Amino acid sequence: MDINEILSKVDHTLLKQTAVWEEIKSICDDGIKYKTASVCIPSSFVKRAKDYAGDKVKICTVIGFPNGYSTTAVKIFETKDAVNNGADEIDMVINIGELKAKNYNTVLEEIREIKSACEDKILKVIIETCMLTKDEKIKMCQLVTEAKADFIKTSTGFGGEGAVFDDIRLFAENVGSDVKIKAAGGITSIADAEKFIELGADRLGTSRIVKIAKEEKLC
């Protein structure tokens, strides 16, 4: 698979707590140079990143991150604030406790409300696969489809484990035809990236692939 095709599916990501503007600026520069799908950054940097990068790269940020247990009202406020500051894409974390309690309508309605708050922006729903049973993952495929979100996403990268191949297979078998898949975390090589894409991932949440492309001068 051509490296440029892989990079076009990468959400070039920097979400560590210690991130500073110079690092975010560098992520934006990389995203522009390597034509990544987006740069995924903390919400506090969205406005500066949008002012800096303009429309040269999509700006993605995270909502209810990383634990997902903020109230729906807080998540909606975060979403509207991010969109007003220039975010093009929103990655939200579900309330995992509500899912495990089988309060499925609560989870569904939260996703719907955040999708509405996104206006015309892309919404990706992070379900934190490493904390879920197979049945819970399947249920989330159904809820994300019903809520009409744009993507289902595996992981925050802060939950202990990132994306695994079996989860992407499971998503591909259970999400609706209008829902795309994002594999995030645990993508450490070009071979990994290719495999996730072959299994059905349309996006990859990682910083590693850009780093490899730079170090090995692949493009």
Side-chain angles (χ1 to χ4, degrees):
M1 188 176 295
D2 181 75
I3 185 62
N4 292 300
E5 181 181 354
I6 295 172
L7 288 165
S8 74
K9 296 180 183 296
V10 168
D11 288 343
H12 190 27
T13 301
L14 177 60
L15 294 170
K16 65 182 182 180
Q17 298 94 325
T18 56
V20 298
W21 168 243
E22 286 304 313
E23 292 173 301
I24 299 296
K25 182 174 174 288
S26 179
I27 286 282
C28 291
D29 290 339
D30 285 344
I32 294 166
K33 179 176 180 179
Y34 293 99
K35 297 181 172 59
T36 61
S38 79
V39 292
C40 188
I41 60 176
S43 59
S44 58
F45 291 108
V46 166
K47 189 176 189 308
R48 273 186 283 180
K50 192 64 174 180
D51 289 345
Y52 175 74
D55 295 327
K56 295 176 184 176
V57 66
K58 299 289 186 185
I59 305 298
C60 173
T61 195
V62 288
I63 300 300
F65 193 86
N67 297 314
Y69 48 43
S70 306
T71 65
T72 299
V74 168
K75 290 179 182 177
I76 289 171
F77 179 87
E78 284 187 274
T79 300
K80 289 181 176 179
D81 184 60
V83 170
N84 288 338
N85 284 331
D88 300 293
E89 303 187 358
I90 298 294
D91 289 18
M92 65 161 284
V93 185
I94 64 162
N95 189 312
I96 298 167
E98 294 286 17
L99 173 65
K100 288 191 170 291
K102 297 183 168 50
N103 294 327
Y104 301 137
N105 195 60
T106 300
V107 177
L108 174 65
E109 288 305 314
E110 179 173 89
I111 298 170
R112 281 177 168 162
E113 290 186 55
I114 294 173
K115 176 61 178 171
S116 178
C118 285
E119 300 175 2
D120 60 344
K121 310 305 181 184
I122 286 174
L123 176 63
K124 309 187 200 92
V125 180
I126 307 171
I127 71 168
E128 203 69 286
T129 46
C130 65
M131 297 184 181
L132 306 184
T133 66
K134 181 178 179 180
D135 286 346
E136 288 166 345
K137 294 171 194 176
I138 292 171
K139 187 63 181 180
M140 281 311 308
C141 288
Q142 296 166 353
L143 294 177
V144 170
T145 301
E146 188 175 350
K148 300 187 185 305
D150 300 285
F151 281 79
I152 187 168
K153 175 179 170 181
T154 58
S155 321
T156 63
F158 289 75
E161 185 178 46
V164 297
F165 298 139
D166 284 347
D167 285 335
I168 303 305
R169 288 190 187 94
L170 188 70
F171 284 1
E173 292 168 357
N174 288 281
V175 293
S177 59
D178 293 331
V179 178
K180 296 179 181 178
I181 297 168
K182 178 174 174 179
I187 303 168
T188 60
S189 67
I190 298 297
D192 279 352
E194 290 179 331
K195 182 68 171 179
F196 280 119
I197 292 168
E198 288 167 4
L199 290 171
D202 192 70
R203 290 287 186 94
L204 306 172
T206 179
S207 60
R208 181 64 182 156
I209 300 305
V210 171
K211 184 177 181 181
I212 292 170
K214 291 168 70 174
E215 289 175 348
E216 299 187 9
K217 296 180 171 57
L218 298 178
C219 59

